[in-house]
Amino acid sequence: MKIEALLRKQKYCKTSEIESSDIIIINTCAVKHATETKILHYIFDIRKQYPDKRMIVTGCLPQIGKKMYQKIKSQIHPDDLILKPAEIHNIILSLGESLKTDDILHKPEIIPAPFKNGNIGIIQISEGCNNSCTYCCTTIARGKLISFNPKIILNQIKSLYLDGINNFFLTSQDLGNYNYSGYTLVDLLTDISNLQGNFQIRLGMLNPDYLIKKIDPFLRIFIDKRFYRFIHMPIQSGSNRILQLMRRNYKIEEIEQIIKKFKKFDRNFTFSTDIIVGFPSETINDFQDSVNFINQWKPFNLNISKYSVRPNTLAKKMKQLPSQDIKKRSKYLDEVYKHYSHLLRMNWIGWEGKVFVSDSNILNSNDNGYLTRNLYNIPIFIESGKIGTVSHIKIVKIIGNKIIGKIT
């Protein structure tokens, strides 16, 4: 979406159909081995299917190691281009070149332009990562953290708001690492709270180590109800032994204290989390620690990842678990989540309050409907609405795992 927004702004993007395009741009991901395999097959198939079109490959995958870079390079034409993630913001400059070489380097812009996803303004506040998790290649691919100028971030929000956008999503590889010459995330959120306007702000991923240090000033931000009372806090494991091997720099007891503070602030405060299943040397007891944590604290959304080896990471050198064990544990944890998640949603029946109509969506195969979110970022579907407005609704039923509301 970011790339498309940059291209459309400069009138480069006139079509999203490959058949009628001059240049094909493929943005890649390197988080999981399965994703890597799919992307490599896709690049090969697209290159074979459209031999006369120019291609740009960007994103993390080419940057995780020399072998991967050469593998991708061997699948594309000599005059195709491979761009680093930090060079995406200069893709317009690259399009202006002859595309005869893959080593066109431009100094990255100070901050990327904001972009829209429907009626939501996506604001990136930083790029890169300062963490050194043993399983992850994000730092290898994207480099150390660069925090963007807060004045520009604030101006982007004001500009988009004047343009009719009143729902914003602050994004980064890790919001908590934001630090612009001593100006931290809480400073930025405080200044956003001081802006005038009827808008909503949703925060992206925040690693627990930041919250452990800054939970009290961070929580005060949510006194302003323009901030969704929701946090995406990836814990990755419920086992302290595994967390130490992962270099996650916190203990599960500290996570529990954070959640207690959220719930004390507002008992409906919601959070989602991520769990990696089958990290090297994970025992049944380690896995059970994760199951116990999930059963006790019941995150509203749970993202389960089966561990996969990533190149040039320390975890690659550790003793790996059999893939069948990883699959079994992933399936078991998914069943745990399915069991409580429906009950969790049922508890919302009867709730009344304001919701933000964020998108049109499908209620079922026969009806068109609208997706809304309440203060706690709970997705609620209603039959009628107007995107970008606020409605007052009552939650009346659950269909499958969808929460259905009715305008009151």
Side-chain angles (χ1 to χ4, degrees):
M1 290 183 291
K2 183 196 304 184
I3 296 173
E4 183 178 351
L6 287 167
L7 295 174
R8 288 194 183 281
K9 186 176 181 180
Q10 298 296 324
K11 296 182 171 46
Y12 272 88
C13 187
K14 296 181 180 179
T15 178
S16 57
E17 300 296 328
I18 292 181
E19 288 78 6
S20 54
S21 67
D22 299 314
I23 299 172
I24 301 169
I25 301 173
I26 300 177
N27 193 22
T28 65
C29 175
V31 173
K32 299 178 182 179
H33 183 266
T35 305
E36 169 192 310
T37 302
K38 290 178 182 178
I39 291 172
L40 289 174
H41 281 303
Y42 183 75
I43 292 172
F44 177 80
D45 290 342
I46 291 296
R47 185 68 287 173
K48 184 177 180 180
Q49 188 175 354
Y50 302 99
D52 298 327
K53 294 182 184 291
R54 293 277 176 82
M55 180 182 286
I56 296 177
V57 179
T58 186
C60 293
L61 191 58
Q63 310 305 324
I64 62 174
K66 291 182 179 178
K67 288 184 179 179
M68 181 57 64
Y69 184 92
Q70 291 301 326
K71 185 180 289 187
I72 292 173
K73 189 176 175 64
S74 68
Q75 291 188 5
I76 61 179
H77 291 171
D79 57 349
D80 290 334
L81 189 65
I82 298 177
L83 282 181
K84 296 178 180 179
E87 297 169 329
I88 287 175
H89 316 306
N90 298 296
I91 199 165
I92 303 301
L93 295 176
S94 299
L95 287 172
E97 300 286 345
S98 63
L99 296 180
K100 295 293 185 181
T101 176
D102 63 6
D103 60 358
I104 301 172
L105 298 178
H106 302 286
K107 185 177 179 180
E109 298 287 344
I110 296 175
I111 187 169
F115 61 99
K116 303 175 187 177
N117 179 17
N119 73 310
I120 299 174
I122 311 295
I123 308 292
Q124 185 180 0
I125 69 169
S126 62
E127 170 73 28
C129 183
N130 285 340
N131 296 329
S132 55
C133 302
T134 57
Y135 55 83
C136 185
C137 56
T138 297
T139 304
I140 298 169
R142 292 187 173 271
K144 289 297 183 180
L145 185 86
I146 300 173
S147 296
F148 302 133
N149 190 321
K151 292 182 180 179
I152 300 178
I153 294 171
L154 294 169
N155 284 335
Q156 287 181 348
I157 295 174
K158 289 188 284 188
S159 176
L160 285 175
Y161 182 69
L162 291 174
D163 196 33
I165 297 296
N166 55 0
N167 199 12
F168 296 93
F169 180 31
L170 300 189
T171 183
S172 171
Q173 274 72 52
D174 178 11
L175 293 184
N177 272 328
Y178 180 84
N179 191 317
Y180 187 84
S181 301
Y183 179 98
T184 65
L185 178 65
V186 166
D187 298 321
L188 176 63
L189 299 182
T190 299
D191 283 346
I192 291 173
S193 184
N194 289 331
L195 295 177
Q196 299 298 310
N198 185 21
F199 54 79
Q200 293 294 130
I201 299 285
R202 179 157 62 102
L203 303 182
M205 190 174 73
L206 251 166
N207 274 311
D209 51 350
Y210 171 81
L211 294 172
I212 290 167
K213 301 171 188 174
K214 301 288 185 179
I215 185 62
D216 291 331
F218 178 76
L219 269 176
R220 286 195 287 271
I221 294 298
F222 296 95
I223 294 172
D224 183 347
K225 290 188 176 182
R226 293 178 299 176
F227 287 87
Y228 287 105
R229 291 184 178 178
F230 159 84
I231 194 71
H232 177 195
M233 177 178 62
I235 68 161
Q236 306 301 7
S237 176
S239 163
N240 284 331
R241 189 183 75 85
I242 295 298
L243 288 174
Q244 186 175 17
L245 288 174
M246 288 178 167
R247 287 188 179 173
R248 291 296 286 173
N249 300 322
Y250 51 81
K251 294 183 177 180
I252 202 64
E253 293 81 8
E254 293 174 302
I255 303 299
E256 293 173 333
Q257 290 304 311
I258 290 173
I259 297 172
K260 287 177 182 178
K261 288 203 171 190
F262 281 138
K263 296 299 184 180
K264 184 178 180 181
F265 178 84
D266 185 335
R267 65 184 180 87
N268 287 325
F269 208 114
T270 59
F271 80 102
S272 66
T273 196
D274 305 349
I275 293 286
I276 296 175
V277 172
F279 186 83
S281 83
E282 181 188 71
T283 65
I284 290 295
N285 288 337
D286 292 324
F287 175 65
Q288 190 60 49
D289 285 342
S290 294
V291 173
N292 292 343
F293 177 90
I294 296 303
N295 266 325
Q296 180 177 0
W297 298 106
K298 296 178 174 57
F300 194 84
N301 291 304
L302 175 62
N303 306 308
I304 303 168
S305 294
K306 295 187 288 289
Y307 171 79
S308 60
V309 175
R310 297 288 71 212
N312 301 311
T313 60
L314 290 175
K316 182 181 179 181
K317 303 174 183 178
M318 300 178 186
K319 185 178 180 180
Q320 308 297 312
L321 268 63
S323 60
Q324 60 267 29
D325 289 350
I326 297 176
K327 290 178 182 177
K328 287 179 183 178
R329 293 178 189 181
S330 175
K331 184 178 180 180
Y332 182 85
L333 189 56
D334 186 55
E335 290 300 319
V336 169
Y337 171 65
K338 286 178 180 177
H339 176 72
Y340 80 75
S341 64
H342 183 72
L343 297 175
L344 205 62
R345 284 156 175 78
M346 290 288 290
N347 290 337
W348 282 90
I349 292 178
W351 179 89
E352 292 187 60
K354 293 180 179 179
V355 294
F356 186 86
V357 184
S358 60
D359 199 0
S360 59
N361 214 310
I362 304 298
L363 281 173
N364 56 52
S365 59
N366 298 318
D367 298 323
N368 289 326
Y370 290 85
L371 173 64
T372 75
R373 294 184 184 274
N374 67 4
L375 177 62
Y376 306 100
N377 197 42
I378 303 294
I380 306 164
F381 295 87
I382 59 176
E383 289 185 354
S384 61
K386 184 178 179 181
I387 296 174
T389 63
V390 173
S391 296
H392 193 281
I393 66 121
K394 180 178 180 179
I395 295 176
V396 293
K397 59 183 175 180
I398 309 294
I399 299 177
N401 231 21
K402 286 186 175 181
I403 301 174
I404 309 300
K406 183 178 180 180
I407 294 178
T408 58

